[in-house]
Amino acid sequence: AYERTCRYFCRKTNSVVVCVEYRLAPEHPFPVQFEDCLTAAIHFLRTAQDYGVDPSRIVICGDSSGGTLTAAVAQALVNRSDLPKPRAQILIYPFLQCVDFNLPSYQQNERIPILLKERALALGLKYLKGDLCYIKELLKGCHVPEDRRLKYQKWVSSDYIPQEFKTRGYKPSPTYPPSEEICEMSAPLFDPVFSPLLAEDSVIAQLPETFILTCEFDVLRDDGLLYKKRLEDHGIKVTWCHLQEGFHGTV
């Protein structure tokens, strides 16, 4: 599905493009995908000159869950003094957080193909081999312990979504009490490798220049907007492209 796209990027940008064939869930659960991508990135950063590539001009890129992996790999590399620093990261409609599934974009686009709201969460749970019977509780936020809710609200909140993205409709959701059982099952969801938007400020502040693409008709639109804000708050240069008629998978 991606070979033609990668060839197009290669041809149009005059770049060497390396496509990582990471192992897939559910046969290979999280974090195998991240480990495969990180291993490939480290290897290429070390051997780039063997491929005629300037090690100071390497860009990490991915879309959807690949955008999640791109963000996680970029974060994992920030303290690697033994490697060249990535020049930039490109996040194309990335999945970045599991705290709030009732942000404006989740409400507005919950029934818009191809990534329906419940499907987005089901795919995430398959990575973790989580029980799909808990989807309704997760959609309500019953998986977020109170201490985590207080910590994450400074990063994940509809308050940080510009008003222009609420005009198609948005209604603040009621807060439901956390369930101890579901919180225990859901703990891996808050790992920054799975939810890169939840990385600490000390990591975010060291990330490379970033390009973020969001689509108006995509449940993940606001993940990209929130990450854009976090990066800019730490002085990271962000180039943002918003496709007003775009939808998830448009690439």
Side-chain angles (χ1 to χ4, degrees):
Y2 277 83
E3 182 173 344
R4 182 174 293 181
T5 301
C6 290
R7 287 178 179 273
Y8 177 84
F9 287 156
C10 182
R11 187 169 65 248
K12 289 293 186 179
T13 64
N14 192 30
S15 302
V16 172
V17 173
V18 179
C19 185
V20 182
E21 191 175 1
Y22 58 85
R23 288 168 288 176
L24 302 176
E27 292 81 7
H28 302 281
F30 172 84
V32 166
Q33 299 74 26
F34 164 73
E35 291 166 350
D36 286 354
C37 290
L38 181 60
T39 298
I42 290 171
H43 175 73
F44 192 72
L45 285 163
R46 284 179 173 153
T47 62
Q49 291 178 323
D50 296 346
Y51 301 92
V53 172
D54 180 347
S56 69
R57 299 183 66 190
I58 294 173
V59 177
I60 308 171
C61 172
D63 76 309
S64 194
S65 59
T68 316
L69 293 166
T70 295
V73 167
Q75 291 179 5
L77 294 172
V78 297
N79 292 316
R80 292 294 296 261
S81 58
D82 59 321
L83 297 169
K85 297 290 185 186
R87 171 65 182 84
Q89 60 175 339
I90 295 175
L91 310 178
I92 301 173
Y93 36 75
F95 175 92
L96 297 172
Q97 61 85 29
C98 285
V99 175
D100 190 344
F101 299 106
N102 288 291
L103 293 168
S105 62
Y106 269 103
Q107 291 189 18
Q108 295 161 358
N109 303 312
E110 63 179 337
R111 294 185 180 87
I112 293 182
I114 56 174
L115 195 63
L116 284 69
K117 180 175 178 175
E118 288 198 14
R119 187 174 187 220
L121 187 48
L123 290 172
L125 286 172
K126 283 184 179 180
Y127 266 99
L128 297 168
K129 288 200 168 179
D131 195 329
L132 298 184
C133 74
Y134 291 126
I135 282 183
K136 292 198 183 322
E137 283 73 19
L138 268 67
L139 290 173
K140 291 179 180 178
C142 299
H143 63 299
V144 188
E146 192 57 36
D147 58 334
R148 287 188 184 269
R149 193 188 307 274
L150 292 171
K151 177 180 180 179
Y152 296 148
Q153 67 184 6
K154 60 183 177 180
W155 302 329
V156 185
S157 170
S158 60
D159 294 343
Y160 304 133
I161 304 299
Q163 190 60 37
E164 65 193 271
F165 293 102
K166 300 176 183 177
T167 56
R168 286 199 291 121
Y170 168 65
K171 183 178 180 181
S173 299
T175 301
Y176 293 92
S179 159
E180 188 173 338
E181 178 188 0
I182 297 172
C183 287
E184 186 175 339
M185 182 274 294
S186 305
L189 294 174
F190 306 114
D191 185 335
V193 170
F194 195 84
S195 295
L197 185 55
L198 307 182
E200 296 297 330
D201 289 338
S202 58
V203 173
I204 298 292
Q206 298 182 72
L207 288 170
E209 184 176 348
T210 301
F211 175 96
I212 297 176
L213 183 140
T214 55
C215 293
E216 178 61 28
F217 299 101
D218 180 8
V219 291
L220 303 183
R221 180 197 69 201
D222 294 348
D223 283 24
L225 295 178
L226 292 172
Y227 205 51
K228 172 180 179 289
K229 181 183 186 304
R230 281 208 73 192
L231 291 166
E232 290 177 335
D233 285 350
H234 286 278
I236 308 299
K237 182 180 178 183
V238 177
T239 301
W240 172 51
C241 175
H242 182 65
L243 302 183
Q244 194 61 47
E245 302 298 325
F247 53 90
H248 195 85
T250 197
V251 165

